[in-house]
Amino acid sequence: MTRKKLLILTQTLPALGGQGTAMRLGNMLEALARHFDITMICVSVDRPTHPEILAERWKDLCSRAVFFNVADEGEPLRHRQRNTLTRLMNPHPKLLSTWPVDYVMSRLSEFRSEHFDAVLVSRIRLMPLWRAMQAQLGVSAERKILDLDDIESRSQALQVNMLGVPHLGKMGYVLEWLEARKLAREEARAFNEMERVLLCSPEDKALLGERFPERQIGVIPNTIRVPAQHPARQPRAPLQLLFVGTLNYAPNENAVKWLTQEIMPAIRKQVGQDNAILTVIGRGPTDWMKQQAAAGAFVLHGDVPDVAPYYEACDAVLVPIRAGGGTRIKILEAFGYGRVVISTTLGAEGIEAEHGSELLIANYPAEFADAAARLLQEPDLSRQLIANGRQKVMERYSMTACEQAIDAVFVPTGAGPAQAAVSDTQATTTG
């Protein structure tokens, strides 16, 4: 039987590790490639993006792959959105207003009048390009699916509340608050245009289900390729603590500041000044972070080719997140590598994990300090958390879970890989 055609439209190159959106896309792409002939179009407005470093495995999974960067062409639009009046008058979110649409369409002219059995739009930011492909190029799809991943409007609102007027200024606060409202309107528009909208957790589905029909919402969990079992570490002084994330992303930047200014001082007061070392890794470290690292506040490695050595060398992963949405792949990675996680309630949101079973929850600096001290004082605690966390990720957040969720959304019951088809089923799964 002829395999059906799937178009994936994304701004992110898929990846095996690193940034969460890229990992999610990589796992979904592998699962979808079992069933579909995939055409992937990756258009990025961010710097740097180097399509030449794309692993050959991703090209091998696609029948066609198109990659190009429009940072230069999009700069005038980004510059315009820095103007306060322009942003106030713009009915659309800034996130969706920086695409040089006509230029992108000129690069995609080879797709004119092409029909696909389904389209998967990765994140709401790509919706203007999908609309333009339909209107200007006559591209069509029998089924239209948006991977929202998380609820952008909620993430924006949480970020605005986290930063507040002291950080944003009065006008900045108003602009970013309006951005959340505009994103909510874009979500409503997407629900009118797309057959299915995908999220990464049942919790987000329940939240969005308060605004839109739940039957229209599917769940594809964030998953990881579970690494081989690593030798368990018995925490001992000095504690090796790790933070992982995209460092110029505001919630992560805030987390590093909270770690530096309040959490690590509280931990060191509890366990001893020289008995806790913080390492920070991730792309996009800010100048402030570089200055703090130079002053000895933490060890900074920035973007690294492989996170495994850093997980292996740490006693616990800290997730002091106070804004954002979705599920933290960094927690799943830590579970997979067999490392203890200490997280805020929001940081662990969307993951089936309980305080004292798979991880430790801490919402204040003193609670982070108490949790760190427990690791040194209770040897059995680390072993229990590590065993339960790894079991959880194996059961609920492995590639098998991703494949099962993809099949529930895209493939009719009883169809195998050779019978790839696009299903009308409304079933969802949480993996």
Side-chain angles (χ1 to χ4, degrees), residues 88-120:
L88 284 171
M89 299 298 293
N90 184 3
H92 305 296
K94 177 179 65 174
L95 188 68
L96 280 69
S97 300
T98 55
W99 291 110
V101 173
D102 290 341
Y103 173 77
V104 174
M105 292 305 105
S106 71
R107 294 287 302 268
L108 300 178
S109 59
E110 66 184 270
F111 296 99
R112 188 175 299 279
S113 301
E114 188 159 351
H115 177 75
F116 294 89
D117 295 288
V119 61
L120 174 64

Side-chain angles (χ1 to χ4, degrees), residues 325-343:
T327 57
R328 319 297 162 198
I329 288 182
K330 66 190 77 175
I331 291 181
L332 303 181
E333 283 186 324
F335 285 169
Y337 282 106
R339 294 300 177 258
V340 174
V341 173
I342 307 174
S343 173

